[in-house]
Amino acid sequence: MNNKKQLEVYINQNHVGTLAETKDHLVAFEYSDEWTRSGFSISPVALPLQKGVFISKKYDPFDGLFGVFADSLPDGWGRLLVDRLLLKNQITPASVSAITRLAVVGNRGMGALEYRPSNELKAEMTEMTLDELAVECEKMFDTEHSEHLDELFRLGGSTGGARPKVNYEIDGEEWIVKFPSSIDRKNIGKEEYDYSVCAKKCQLPMTDTRLIPSKFCEGYFATKRFDRQNGQKIHMTSVSGLLETSHRIPNLDYNILMQLTLKITHSYEEIEKLFRWMCFNVFAHNRDDHSKNFSYIYKDKDWKLSPAYDLTYSSSIGGEHATTVNGNGSTPGMHDIMEVAKKAKMDEKKAQRIAGEIQEIVYIDLKEYL
């Protein structure tokens, strides 16, 4: 497999533009004339919709890519699978450029961006049950080899996040099913499902979720993909990709998220959604709220907050929130929450009511985890 120097970018068969590697191993991008006339900015901060060549300014944190394209690359579990399959095909992972990794993603990535020509890694297809897949996922943490690596790659090689997961069809629609990682609590599937049910009760935007039965645990958590709707792919970008900042280093505050959401969506309805999301994270002790765990989707010619995802009892570095609440990452409470609401110019009484309702619901419904 030769390293790619140039790729064409598409969304739902429409030519968005061209990516090319520079002599400095950065990446240049240019919108196509067609997309400039009738498309939209795929990353409003870094790539405004205009003619001309954009060149990434730094090598880190995305290996020379713009953040919106880095979002297409699998990380955590997905990158592990890609690297293992590269080795199986006698390719050294460190030798593969970022653009070539996008070619490996091809049309299988999260969101709507597709990359051509694609680089197909040789993989054989087999059919396995979810319990069988879970067993094989567990083996991947204990050994460098799996006789079912090809199937794991086919189903989960384009996904992000640390936990093993697969893309799975349920009732003709695309879902993501998660399995416990080597360091997870064994009931993590039921926990994430319970969190999702509680989040819906708190009026957070959520896709459909299920707890799928298993012989080995209380069940596997499944969530319907929000980047696939009515046969179309929905463009999305994380806050990490939008702001061109690493999600591995806590460097975000909800005050900043509020400002960004208003700038991107121009909607106080979206501000209220984010406020509910923040309140839930605080009261439910979901502290792994880093910049890749918030995203925006482009739908009906407008940017909106994506549905909430990756909601569990969790902590970030030092046990604190990855995204601080008015500067407080260790012990945020109602005072910090209301300060964020005040700076976002929300109605104080409404914000107080929302926060109080979410606090009560969370403490009742999730008390076994808190």
Side-chain angles (χ1 to χ4, degrees):
M1 179 176 65
N2 295 323
N3 273 326
K4 301 288 186 183
K5 297 296 183 181
Q6 181 172 313
L7 292 176
E8 303 304 321
V9 183
Y10 287 81
I11 290 180
N12 293 317
Q13 305 305 317
N14 297 305
H15 187 209
V16 177
T18 302
L19 276 170
E21 185 177 306
T22 72
K23 62 180 180 180
D24 299 320
H25 303 292
L26 298 176
V27 170
F29 173 74
E30 184 175 18
Y31 287 111
S32 69
D33 290 340
E34 174 190 358
W35 192 265
T36 303
R37 289 192 300 269
S38 59
F40 59 90
S41 168
I42 60 174
S43 185
V45 177
L47 299 172
L49 187 62
Q50 62 189 44
K51 292 185 177 181
V53 177
F54 299 91
I55 298 179
S56 58
K57 294 183 175 63
K58 53 188 178 181
Y59 190 75
D60 288 328
F62 303 124
D63 294 333
L65 289 175
F66 289 97
V68 66
F69 302 120
D71 274 346
S72 296
L73 293 177
D75 65 353
W77 172 252
R79 185 171 180 117
L80 172 66
L81 293 179
V82 172
D83 287 354
R84 294 282 175 85
L85 199 59
L86 286 169
L87 290 169
K88 181 179 178 180
N89 284 272
Q90 299 183 329
I91 301 168
T92 303
S95 70
V96 180
S97 69
I99 282 188
T100 304
R101 284 183 178 271
L102 287 177
V104 172
V105 169
N107 65 356
R108 300 178 303 105
M110 304 298 289
L113 297 179
E114 299 182 357
Y115 305 92
R116 305 176 188 173
S118 61
N119 248 340
E120 296 293 335
L121 288 175
K122 184 179 179 182
E124 298 177 1
M125 294 186 185
T126 57
E127 294 297 329
M128 303 173 66
T129 68
L130 288 175
D131 276 338
E132 289 171 338
L133 286 167
V135 170
E136 290 303 313
C137 287
E138 190 171 356
K139 288 180 182 178
M140 288 292 294
F141 292 107
D142 299 326
T143 176
E144 294 185 3
H145 305 285
S146 168
E147 60 180 308
H148 296 290
L149 174 60
D150 291 11
E151 183 69 1
L152 295 181
F153 171 77
R154 182 177 72 85
L155 294 173
S158 61
T159 58
R163 284 174 58 196
K165 56 183 69 66
V166 294
N167 295 307
Y168 203 73
E169 184 176 302
I170 299 177
D171 299 333
E173 296 180 297
E174 295 186 58
W175 288 59
I176 291 175
V177 180
K178 295 184 178 182
F179 306 117
S181 73
S182 58
I183 61 173
D184 273 330
R185 302 173 290 279
K186 285 300 181 182
N187 70 333
I188 189 66
K190 181 179 184 300
E191 177 182 319
E192 188 164 2
Y193 176 72
D194 289 343
Y195 265 63
S196 73
V197 172
C198 182
K200 292 174 189 175
K201 191 180 292 189
C202 294
Q203 299 181 48
L204 269 70
M206 292 284 296
T207 61
D208 292 343
T209 59
R210 293 186 183 182
L211 186 65
I212 299 178
S214 165
K215 297 177 182 177
F216 307 127
C217 61
E218 294 186 71
Y220 304 126
F221 175 74
T223 178
K224 187 186 293 185
R225 290 181 62 166
F226 58 76
D227 61 337
R228 301 288 187 268
Q229 294 179 14
N230 301 320
Q232 293 289 302
K233 294 183 176 182
I234 306 300
H235 179 58
M236 59 180 284
T237 180
S238 70
V239 169
S240 170
L242 198 61
L243 295 181
E244 308 267 313
T245 183
S246 173
H247 70 288
R248 303 186 187 283
I249 303 172
N251 56 9
L252 196 61
D253 188 275
Y254 282 100
N255 286 321
I256 297 173
L257 266 183
M258 288 287 183
Q259 294 174 33
L260 179 65
T261 299
L262 187 59
K263 178 179 180 179
I264 296 298
T265 69
H266 310 289
S267 169
Y268 266 90
E269 182 178 339
E270 299 302 304
I271 287 291
E272 182 177 316
K273 289 180 184 177
L274 179 59
F275 182 74
R276 288 181 179 276
W277 199 338
M278 175 188 69
C279 290
F280 182 87
N281 285 346
V282 170
F283 297 128
H285 203 281
N286 179 36
R287 296 190 167 192
D288 193 32
D289 47 356
H290 56 69
S291 55
K292 266 208 168 183
N293 277 344
F294 298 97
S295 292
Y296 301 94
I297 58 175
Y298 189 83
K299 185 180 178 184
D300 301 327
K301 297 184 178 182
D302 279 313
W303 285 98
K304 297 177 174 63
L305 272 172
S306 76
Y309 55 95
D310 284 357
L311 305 178
T312 60
Y313 185 99
S314 58
S315 294
S316 185
I317 296 174
E320 299 191 6
H321 279 271
T323 297
T324 55
V325 185
N326 197 44
N328 187 350
S330 58
T331 57
M334 193 64 76
H335 171 76
D336 301 299
I337 286 171
M338 292 307 299
E339 282 297 307
V340 173
K342 180 180 178 181
K343 291 175 181 177
K345 295 181 170 55
M346 291 184 64
D347 179 86
E348 184 176 352
K349 289 185 178 179
K350 184 176 184 180
Q352 185 78 48
R353 175 180 57 79
I354 290 172
E357 289 175 352
I358 291 176
Q359 182 180 37
E360 182 177 1
I361 293 170
V362 166
Y363 285 177
I364 292 174
D365 288 15
L366 300 178
K367 58 185 178 182
E368 66 178 288
Y369 303 111
L370 300 175

